[in-house]
Amino acid sequence: MSRRSGVLEFAVLGLLRESPMHGYELRKRLNTSLGVFRAFSYGSLYPCLKTLVANGWLIEEPGSAPEDALAATLSGRRAKIVYRLTAEGKERFEELLAHTGPDAWEDEHFGVRFAFFGQTSRDVRMRVLEGRRSRLEERLEKMRASLARTRERLDDYTLELQRHGMESVEREVRWLNELIESERAGRDQRSGSAGQDRTPEQEPHRSPSQDQSKDTDGLPRHRGGPRPDPSDDTAK
């Protein structure tokens, strides 16, 4: 299986785990929610869906609205097919969700993996984030070395483009550092409170600004400028 089809399988199973969808709705979600699929086509989606159905991970059902079925009959068009995840499909998604190999932090995969972090265990999230950071730090070192060798041969515009690419990678590394520290802080906080039953009077005082600095899962809330898009081509 190619990297592209592998990440598509993961994304389709993940979206259908949330709710059943027909093909058009699924393609729309892939385009709007997951940046790596911005230029996605039906020509790639439907072969993937047929493969997942053949593997027993999805089932096809007719559209639930009676008026849709009647309209389709009168017009001679096929009724919309709704795709639903099977129990085996849920197990397959859980298996993919737990995977932390190098593919999980490559450019094409990382943005999709991050989109499903809410369903991913903390340990897996940490391994993926740290793997992504390590990969970008390696890339940044190579970019700096290349720029140092070729700087004198580059015109101003090419040089500016190189700098822009480096800044994009540096910005994502900073973002990853923030996420990793937040994950660690959340884990340490839970470890420190494990087995301890505190009364409200025993809880440490937190200021409103401290309460607003993190969400309930330990992720930092948005501060300052926009976060980098992990699928941003400039970071490749």
Side-chain angles (χ1 to χ4, degrees):
M1 180 181 294
S2 68
R3 287 185 177 183
R4 183 72 173 181
S5 58
V7 72
L8 177 58
E9 173 190 316
F10 176 81
V12 168
L13 293 175
L15 290 175
L16 291 177
R17 186 185 183 184
E18 298 173 2
S19 65
M21 302 181 202
H22 53 72
Y24 174 78
E25 183 181 6
L26 187 56
R27 177 175 176 264
K28 185 176 179 181
R29 287 288 306 278
L30 288 167
N31 284 341
T32 57
S33 302
L34 306 178
V36 72
F37 299 109
R38 285 175 184 142
F40 203 58
S41 67
Y42 284 112
S44 299
L45 175 59
Y46 280 101
C48 175
L49 289 171
K50 289 186 179 298
T51 298
L52 297 180
V53 170
N55 288 339
W57 298 332
L58 302 182
I59 57 173
E60 297 177 331
E61 299 176 340
S64 58
E67 60 273 15
D68 291 345
L70 177 59
T73 301
L74 294 175
S75 64
R77 293 183 288 105
R78 293 178 58 188
K80 291 180 180 178
I81 295 175
V82 173
Y83 295 90
R84 181 185 299 275
L85 206 61
T86 64
E88 292 79 7
K90 292 178 182 178
E91 291 180 2
R92 173 60 176 170
F93 181 67
E94 292 291 341
E95 175 186 331
L96 295 174
L97 204 61
H99 174 67
T100 58
D103 282 355
W105 49 76
E106 294 292 352
D107 290 341
E108 261 195 347
H109 283 232
F110 176 72
V112 180
R113 288 300 303 267
F114 190 83
F116 293 101
F117 262 22
Q119 305 177 47
T120 307
S121 70
R122 180 175 295 275
D123 289 343
V124 171
R125 292 200 303 264
M126 282 291 291
R127 288 196 291 271
V128 173
L129 290 172
E130 290 174 342
R132 175 65 176 175
R133 180 176 63 180
S134 177
R135 183 57 48 86
L136 289 183
E137 287 173 340
E138 292 174 2
R139 182 181 302 171
L140 193 56
E141 183 177 349
K142 292 178 180 179
M143 293 173 74
R144 287 169 176 161
S146 175
L147 184 60
R149 290 194 307 268
T150 61
R151 180 188 299 272
E152 294 181 357
R153 301 196 300 269
L154 299 177
D155 60 61
D156 291 343
Y157 295 101
T158 305
L159 184 61
E160 191 61 31
L161 184 61
Q162 294 286 328
R163 288 172 176 165
H164 174 67
M166 288 178 56
E167 289 172 359
S168 297
V169 178
E170 289 169 343
R171 185 167 61 250
E172 186 173 344
V173 170
R174 290 194 298 269
W175 174 65
L176 290 167
N177 285 335
E178 183 179 330
L179 290 170
I180 289 168
E181 288 306 311
S182 295
E183 292 283 356
R184 286 175 177 163
R187 180 175 60 190
D188 293 343
Q189 184 178 17
R190 272 189 285 274
S191 298
S193 61
Q196 299 178 9
D197 295 324
R198 289 180 175 176
T199 64
E201 292 78 8
Q202 293 173 313
E203 288 292 340
H205 175 71
R206 292 171 58 88
S207 67
S209 61
Q210 287 176 311
D211 288 334
Q212 294 170 3
S213 64
K214 295 180 181 179
D215 65 15
T216 57
D217 196 33
L219 290 177
R221 288 193 180 277
H222 173 56
R223 297 189 297 274
R227 287 179 177 170
D229 183 349
S231 62
D232 191 345
D233 290 338
T234 61
K236 295 182 182 178

